[in-house]
Amino acid sequence: MALFKPFFYKEFLKSFRNYTFYILLILFSFFGFSNPIIAKLMPEIFKLAESDLGGITLVLPEPTALDSWMQFFSNISTQLGLFILMFSSIFTIELSSGSIITMLTKGMPRHLIITSKFAFLVVVWTIMYYLTFFITYFYTPLLLTATLDNQLIMSFFPYFYGILLISISLWGGVITKSSIGSIVFPLLYTMLMSALSFISLPKDFIPAVLSRDSILLLTNEVSLSHFTIPTIATFFIIIFFIGTAIAIFNKQHI
């Protein structure tokens, strides 16, 4: 733990110095405010588009709070992609510069390098994700009608799925020793989950359920038990990717 803390804080300091943390704060705040605003303005946007539809008149219902949360969910994949992209070199940049060798020669255990970086990414993801969530949560009632339940409970599942993709990103960076691997492997995993969703048997048990079906909690179309198995599966998959990343890094020649 004595070695973990300074390395963990070093990641934060580095993210402040290269402005990554501040850029993400701005971007995720923007998404938080844009969710209810876009939902509120959507009927007006479609009205402006009517002239391009050959005179077809679109009749849209009055936007509600549910539209804001649907916008929230539609933006999560973009936000997660930006997050992974911004931190895709968190492992490889120190590997290429040789600073990891310096840390190892000073007695830093290899597993702490992986776990401290993963812990840092989870903390930053938590801050950014719930920044967007709470901006949307408090701003939506000011612009839109209807009262919804379960928003806070609902928010956990896409958040946890995001941690899974972050673990895959870090794993990809370790096994390929490149930032490209950190980007490509989460993308490949997402494509695999999309393919599995077309198969009837496992589609209700795969981790993608956490992201795909969370909105259904707001409309009471599913219960919390619907997420039990996917949540447990996601937890063990995260452990698998971080564990194998540590095992692979322990054997790598640097």
Side-chain angles (χ1 to χ4, degrees), residues 75 93 127-129 147 176 188 192 253:
N75 286 332
I93 193 170
I127 293 170
M128 299 304 168
Y129 176 89
T147 302
T176 64
L188 291 175
L192 175 62
H253 176 72

Side-chain angles (χ1 to χ4, degrees), residues 80 84 118 122 125 158-170 186 189 193 206-208 210 230 233-239 241-242:
L80 187 55
I84 289 175
F118 178 64
V122 170
W125 170 243
Y159 159 76
F160 197 48
Y161 186 70
I163 293 177
L164 170 60
L165 293 185
I166 289 169
S167 70
I168 295 172
S169 176
L170 184 58
Y189 181 84
M193 290 297 102
I206 60 177
L210 302 184
T234 300
F235 173 79
F236 282 107
I237 295 172
I238 292 171
I239 297 299
F241 277 111
I242 296 303

Side-chain angles (χ1 to χ4, degrees), residues 12-232:
F12 266 104
L13 185 61
K14 184 170 65 175
S15 71
F16 293 144
R17 287 177 174 173
N18 62 19
Y19 302 104
T20 302
F21 191 88
Y22 303 114
I23 292 171
L24 287 173
L25 273 179
I26 294 171
L27 289 174
F28 278 63
S29 297
F30 169 79
F31 280 110
F33 284 111
S34 69
N35 292 327
I37 292 175
I38 291 176
K40 179 70 174 180
L41 296 178
M42 192 58 68
E44 300 301 322
I45 294 173
F46 275 101
K47 285 181 181 178
L48 293 175
E50 285 180 1
S51 59
D52 298 326
L53 296 176
I56 298 175
T57 301
L58 299 174
V59 180
L60 297 176
E62 187 71 19
T64 65
L66 183 60
D67 295 295
S68 177
W69 288 110
M70 290 178 68
Q71 193 67 35
F72 172 83
F73 279 106
S74 68
N75 286 332
I76 288 175
S77 59
T78 301
Q79 293 172 254
L80 187 55
L82 289 171
F83 185 91
I84 289 175
L85 182 63
M86 295 288 284
F87 288 112
S88 60
S89 61
I90 189 172
F91 175 79
T92 56
I93 193 170
E94 291 183 340
L95 190 64
S96 61
S97 66
S99 59
I100 283 183
I101 298 176
T102 303
M103 289 182 284
L104 293 176
T105 56
K106 290 183 178 180
M108 180 76 170
R110 290 197 177 202
H111 72 272
L112 284 184
I113 294 177
I114 303 298
T115 54
S116 60
K117 287 183 181 294
F118 178 64
F120 163 76
L121 291 172
V122 170
V123 170
V124 176
W125 170 243
T126 303
I127 293 170
M128 299 304 168
Y129 176 89
Y130 278 101
L131 173 66
T132 299
F133 171 81
F134 282 112
I135 290 175
T136 303
Y137 181 83
F138 289 112
Y139 200 40
T140 294
L142 300 178
L143 294 178
L144 300 163
T145 58
T147 302
L148 298 172
D149 299 319
N150 301 322
Q151 292 104 312
L152 188 58
I153 297 173
M154 165 274 297
S155 70
F156 171 78
F157 299 113
Y159 159 76
F160 197 48
Y161 186 70
I163 293 177
L164 170 60
L165 293 185
I166 289 169
S167 70
I168 295 172
S169 176
L170 184 58
W171 177 84
V174 170
I175 68 170
T176 64
K177 298 183 180 181
S178 71
S179 57
I180 298 298
S182 297
I183 298 170
V184 170
F185 277 98
L187 180 60
L188 291 175
Y189 181 84
T190 302
M191 293 170 63
L192 175 62
M193 290 297 102
S194 297
L196 287 177
S197 66
F198 291 102
I199 303 174
S200 58
L201 181 61
K203 71 177 182 180
D204 290 333
F205 306 105
I206 60 177
V209 167
L210 302 184
S211 177
R212 186 192 69 202
D213 293 351
S214 298
I215 188 67
L216 300 180
L217 273 176
L218 297 183
T219 56
N220 296 313
E221 296 179 55
V222 297
S223 64
L224 280 175
S225 61
H226 177 71
F227 299 94
T228 301
I229 295 178
T231 301
I232 294 172

